[in-house]
Amino acid sequence: MALPRIVHMITPLKHMSPFDVNMALDAGYDDAIPYTNVTIEDVYGLVQDAIFSRSPDGIKRTAMFIGGKRAIEALDMMDKAKKAMVPPFEISVFADPAGSFTTAAAMVACAKKALKENFKTDLKGKRVVVFGGTGVVAFASAVIATTDGAKAVLVGYDGPERVRRLTMEANDRFDVDLGYADGTTEEQKAELAREADLVFSAGPAGRQILSLDQIKQSKDLKVAADVNAVPPLGVEGVGIKDKGTPIEGTNAVGIGALAIGDVKYKTESGLFKEMIQAEKPVYLDFRAAYSLAQDLTS
């Protein structure tokens, strides 16, 4: 009788996300075991407990998922997990804090597809202005876009200092060159939108980030993507179901939350399945998510 497929799901938060538990089980795991309030120092011991309880062949049916709400913290946990492996006792690990890596990957991949289909171009050299810049989805999408050749700017909403620190952290960690800006006022947001080739709205749910009037001021804008599915939507003029739909009064197209969410769902499910099917351990983060999201949108 085959051993059950188990994914150990760790988070530094009080609760593991029910969304991620459902995704893991629907992807094919038999059991999804949550561990909450986990610190980075806890990870090493948890991994070694998991890897030594099965034979090298049986360990292929074991994996780990890392949640939480901070990208850097999740990646630090993944690094700690890697150091705990003792080949051939080694398991696959997938990090997706707050669903941010798969959501960000889906948003950037959808935007890239819209650029290709509507403007016969790609992300290389494009100025991507990312609103909600102190949030984890904005952070991840800016890093992903930059790794694909874009010039991304993270926009905060409570002064420049917090978003500056996050930008410096990203630049140091991933060897990228993100910019940052303060978007506290409507005037600041309008000025940033005017300079954009693409805008990504990844701010708090139920909060409009950009008005249609602000969008119309940008002569070079090609794509506006919004991950907010709770009214009022993040970008006025971009519908929740839009999938490269022209934005009224502009030359740009919009991508709505449900279009992005469909790709996000398939990406997260696909990465869980990749761990199930892998003959050798895999380590999956925003880079793996973006690779798969591009395949799904090509």
Side-chain angles (χ1 to χ4, degrees), residues 269-282:
S269 179
L271 294 179
F272 275 121
K273 291 175 181 176
E274 183 174 339
M275 291 199 295
I276 290 172
Q277 296 162 2
E279 285 299 314
K280 295 182 179 181
V282 293

Side-chain angles (χ1 to χ4, degrees), residues 77-293:
M77 285 186 165
M78 177 176 277
D79 287 344
K80 185 69 74 171
K82 287 181 181 179
K83 292 176 182 176
M85 305 300 176
V86 185
F89 296 94
E90 189 175 5
I91 60 176
S92 295
V93 184
F94 170 24
D96 194 21
S100 61
F101 291 168
T102 48
T103 300
M107 179 160 60
V108 180
C110 287
K112 185 175 181 178
K113 179 182 181 181
L115 282 174
K116 181 180 179 180
E117 291 184 345
N118 295 278
F119 303 97
K120 305 297 186 288
T121 188
D122 57 22
L123 285 166
K124 302 292 188 296
K126 301 298 186 298
R127 183 173 173 85
V128 180
V129 178
V130 186
F131 292 91
T134 56
V136 65
V137 173
F139 179 91
S141 62
V143 172
I144 290 171
T146 301
T147 61
D148 202 358
K151 298 176 181 178
V153 177
L154 274 174
V155 182
Y157 57 87
D158 55 358
E161 183 54 28
R162 189 155 68 108
V163 72
R164 184 195 68 81
R165 290 198 305 267
L166 285 169
T167 301
M168 295 303 102
E169 191 171 21
N171 289 342
D172 289 343
R173 180 68 177 251
F174 307 114
D175 193 26
V176 294
D177 188 23
L178 296 183
Y180 68 93
D182 182 22
T184 302
T185 70
E186 294 303 314
E187 292 77 12
Q188 288 170 322
K189 290 191 294 182
E191 182 178 353
L192 288 161
R194 279 196 296 271
E195 301 171 352
D197 294 300
L198 300 91
V199 295
F200 293 163
S201 173
R207 176 181 171 186
Q208 181 176 292
I209 302 295
L210 290 171
S211 68
L212 185 56
D213 285 342
Q214 289 170 323
I215 289 291
K216 286 180 178 180
Q217 293 178 38
S218 175
K219 303 303 180 185
D220 296 322
L221 185 66
K222 296 172 178 62
V223 179
D226 179 19
V227 297
N228 177 23
V230 180
L233 303 183
V235 181
E236 186 181 15
V238 177
I240 192 171
K241 297 181 180 179
D242 283 0
K243 199 173 183 179
T245 306
I247 300 173
E248 179 186 355
T250 77
N251 296 318
V253 298
I255 303 170
L258 291 188
I260 295 168
D262 178 61
V263 178
K264 178 266 188 303
Y265 176 90
K266 292 174 181 175
T267 300
E268 183 171 349
S269 179
L271 294 179
F272 275 121
K273 291 175 181 176
E274 183 174 339
M275 291 199 295
I276 290 172
Q277 296 162 2
E279 285 299 314
K280 295 182 179 181
V282 293
Y283 296 92
L284 308 173
D285 60 15
F286 65 88
R287 287 158 281 221
Y290 186 47
S291 178
L292 179 54

Side-chain angles (χ1 to χ4, degrees), residues 3 6 8 35 43-64 80-93 281 283:
L3 294 172
I6 300 173
H8 299 282
Y35 303 79
V43 174
Y44 193 96
L46 288 171
V47 170
Q48 294 215 328
D49 267 3
I51 63 176
F52 289 132
S53 61
R54 287 178 157 179
S55 70
D57 285 335
I59 206 71
K60 293 178 182 178
R61 301 176 73 85
T62 309
M64 181 167 284
K80 185 69 74 171
K82 287 181 181 179
K83 292 176 182 176
M85 305 300 176
V86 185
F89 296 94
E90 189 175 5
I91 60 176
S92 295
V93 184
Y283 296 92

